[in-house]
Amino acid sequence: MFSLHKTLGGVHPPQCKDTRECPVTSIEPPKQVRIPLNMHIGAPGKPVVNVGDHVYVGTLIGDGEGLCAPTHASISGTVTSVATQTLPTGQTAPVVEIASDGKMEQDPSITKPTYETKDEFIACVRASGVVGLGGASFPSWFKMKCPPGKKFEFVVVNGMECEPFITSDYRQMIEHSERVVDGVARIARALEIPAAVIGVEDNKPEAIEALRKAAEEKGVSDLVEVLSIPTKYPAGGEKVLIEATTGRAVPAGGLPVDAGCLVLNVTTVSRIEEYFRYGVPLVRKTVTIAGDCVKNPGNYRIPIGMSVHDVVETTGGLVKEPRKIIMGGPMMGRTITDIDCPILKANNAILCLDSAAILPDETPCIRCGRCVRACPLGLMPFQLDAASRSHDVVKLDEFAVMNCMECGSCAYACPAHRRITASIREGKAFYRSDVARRTQPAKEA
């Protein structure tokens, strides 16, 4: 049904997948969690609990209207604070702090969800609190609402995990292959989508085999296909994966639905299926802890809201002081300076690095074109870099700055060590603020 299609650009950074054979293990719950209510793209949720309230694992603590995903308590205990705080990202959001009672009791009101219609299915997904767990954090239920005049023809599941170091998705495919396949089939049937494909890089043959075997045993091979895709970063980018699996291109400024595709991360699918099986919402996250400063690298099941400091200490601590700590992978992750920041829904890795943390100084661009050849979206990164640094809005628009997916391939390929991705990220922020400034009078009029 599906065949492999060639895609543009890409790079081949070292894999560093040293934790791929480390089974996921649960860690000792913390004494306290701090759970932000903005762990999704969209408006932050509003607290629905007060200081002094007793909560259980799975108790609703925050929700909102519109593009929002509900948030649930990840431990049982007492709410000690409900206040707006500044997060390490610079954002401000309501944060619910919970002191553990040490019991980890599940909310007695939790029941297995049921549905009969498409809208009821989407409502169940919303109630699960699941967002894009590959890092995007877009509310999954909202993705499933197909706009009028459009239709989903394919479910495209991202099992690529092409970022170096990270192996949490790989362990999900190995340890819960049948749950992944069941989840894909459930979503396709509930949303009346005729075909589904799970894309997996060919450097993960064990995962490919496990998923194909599960599809055969479940009798859904005619609906769910597992496609082996050549290893290349960023083959897991949404637009890149759609083109590789379906041959379709998402138009500039468009969304996957414009190509007839619903794209979901493989762990997202697994967590949705887990919710339908047991009724427990998203309260924990599988995270890869890795890097040359970590004493016990591995994949750990962590309560959402547990601090990075507590996670590192609980998993064995450090062997030396890291020069850089990254939430996520080295290509698209964010460096953090406050290790008391909480684990979020979309966090899939914590990297504590020493030797890989020092970057050479920038030198002038020599117009070699390597960044252009590396760009998976066919953009001109060196031009965007120059326009971003000079705040040239006309050039930013001309070279389509908002189409950049910030994958980091250009910066990785640059022999001059230009901080191209960081520069473009700043350029996008400047471009958005300029557009907002120019359109404000029209809105007021």
Side-chain angles (χ1 to χ4, degrees):
M1 185 186 303
F2 292 92
S3 58
L4 189 63
H5 298 269
K6 188 176 181 180
T7 58
L8 292 173
V11 293
H12 293 86
Q15 292 293 303
C16 304
K17 304 280 190 178
D18 300 333
T19 58
R20 61 182 288 139
E21 301 306 324
C22 297
V24 178
T25 57
S26 296
I27 65 176
E28 182 180 349
K31 295 180 179 179
Q32 176 185 341
V33 293
R34 295 170 56 238
I35 306 179
L37 303 186
N38 69 335
M39 295 184 288
H40 54 266
I41 290 177
K46 296 180 180 179
V48 297
V49 292
N50 299 300
V51 173
D53 287 353
H54 181 81
V55 295
Y56 299 92
V57 175
T59 298
L60 181 69
I61 61 173
D63 202 353
E65 301 293 331
L67 183 58
C68 184
T71 306
H72 304 81
S74 59
I75 62 174
S76 61
T78 304
V79 176
T80 56
S81 172
V82 179
T84 299
Q85 299 181 17
T86 300
L87 302 173
T89 58
Q91 298 174 308
T92 57
V95 176
V96 176
E97 295 184 7
I98 304 170
S100 175
D101 59 9
K103 298 179 180 179
M104 292 298 286
E105 293 179 317
Q106 184 173 296
D107 194 310
S109 67
I110 286 176
T111 58
K112 181 179 176 181
T114 59
Y115 61 93
E116 293 184 2
T117 67
K118 187 184 300 185
D119 287 342
E120 289 176 352
F121 175 80
I122 293 174
C124 289
V125 174
R126 187 189 188 284
S128 73
V130 173
V131 300
L133 300 181
S137 68
F138 198 89
S140 299
W141 71 271
F142 200 88
K143 265 191 176 185
M144 296 177 179
K145 292 175 70 72
C146 193
K150 301 181 185 297
K151 67 175 182 177
F152 290 125
E153 298 175 62
F154 308 109
V155 179
V156 179
V157 179
N158 186 349
M160 302 296 286
E161 198 166 54
C162 51
E163 275 262 17
F165 290 98
I166 308 176
T167 59
S168 54
D169 280 351
Y170 173 77
R171 295 311 308 177
Q172 195 73 214
M173 292 184 282
I174 291 293
E175 298 177 28
H176 301 290
S177 53
E178 54 88 26
R179 193 168 75 193
V180 170
V181 168
D182 274 350
V184 178
R186 183 191 294 272
I187 291 167
R189 288 167 176 161
L191 300 179
E192 300 174 357
I193 304 174
V197 60
I198 306 174
V200 185
E201 279 191 319
D202 60 10
N203 65 352
K204 304 174 181 66
E206 300 88 353
I208 294 170
E209 182 181 353
L211 292 169
R212 285 176 175 170
K213 182 179 179 182
E216 291 175 4
E217 292 178 348
K218 295 286 183 177
V220 295
S221 296
D222 58 332
L223 174 63
V224 181
E225 185 171 339
V226 182
L227 191 63
S228 175
I229 298 176
T231 299
K232 180 176 66 172
Y233 179 87
E238 197 170 58
K239 295 180 180 180
V240 181
L241 184 59
I242 288 172
E243 188 166 358
T245 54
T246 70
R248 299 184 178 187
V250 178
L255 298 170
V257 69
D258 296 317
C261 296
L262 169 64
V263 183
L264 298 167
N265 169 265
V266 69
T267 299
T268 302
V269 169
S270 182
R271 289 290 182 235
I272 289 174
E273 177 62 21
E274 184 179 26
Y275 176 70
F276 279 103
R277 290 185 182 188
Y278 309 110
V280 180
L282 180 64
V283 295
R284 59 188 183 182
K285 188 68 172 68
T286 300
V287 178
T288 299
I289 309 297
D292 53 0
C293 298
V294 176
K295 184 177 181 180
N296 296 315
N299 295 291
Y300 298 93
R301 193 177 294 109
I302 300 169
I304 290 169
M306 186 173 182
S307 75
V308 172
H309 174 271
D310 288 349
V311 169
V312 172
E313 289 301 312
T314 304
T315 56
L318 302 171
V319 295
K320 55 183 173 180
E321 191 69 21
R323 300 189 187 187
K324 181 178 290 187
I325 299 178
I326 302 174
M327 267 190 164
M331 300 296 284
M332 294 188 72
R334 297 294 181 99
T335 300
I336 59 173
T337 55
D338 179 8
I339 61 172
D340 285 326
C341 65
I343 295 291
L344 308 177
K345 289 182 178 182
N347 288 157
N348 49 14
I350 298 294
L351 307 182
C352 301
L353 304 173
D354 180 23
S355 59
I358 303 302
L359 298 175
D361 292 335
E362 284 187 311
T363 57
C365 174
I366 60 173
R367 301 296 193 273
C368 66
R370 292 187 188 179
C371 62
V372 177
R373 292 192 293 273
C375 181
L377 299 181
L379 302 177
M380 303 284 282
F382 74 96
Q383 295 279 24
L384 287 171
D385 179 33
S388 295
R389 292 172 191 253
S390 62
H391 288 180
D392 189 334
V393 176
V394 174
K395 289 294 185 182
L396 287 171
D397 185 67
E398 178 184 347
F399 292 107
V401 68
M402 297 309 294
N403 284 349
C404 173
M405 59 190 280
E406 301 178 24
C407 68
S409 296
C410 53
Y412 181 83
C414 179
H417 310 295
R418 305 284 290 175
R419 312 292 193 261
I420 303 175
T421 310
S423 173
I424 292 176
R425 188 177 291 130
E426 293 175 5
K428 289 169 77 172
F430 181 81
Y431 181 83
R432 280 191 293 263
S433 64
D434 183 78
V435 170
R437 178 183 58 78
R438 287 186 286 109
T439 56
Q440 190 64 34
K443 290 182 179 179
E444 292 177 352

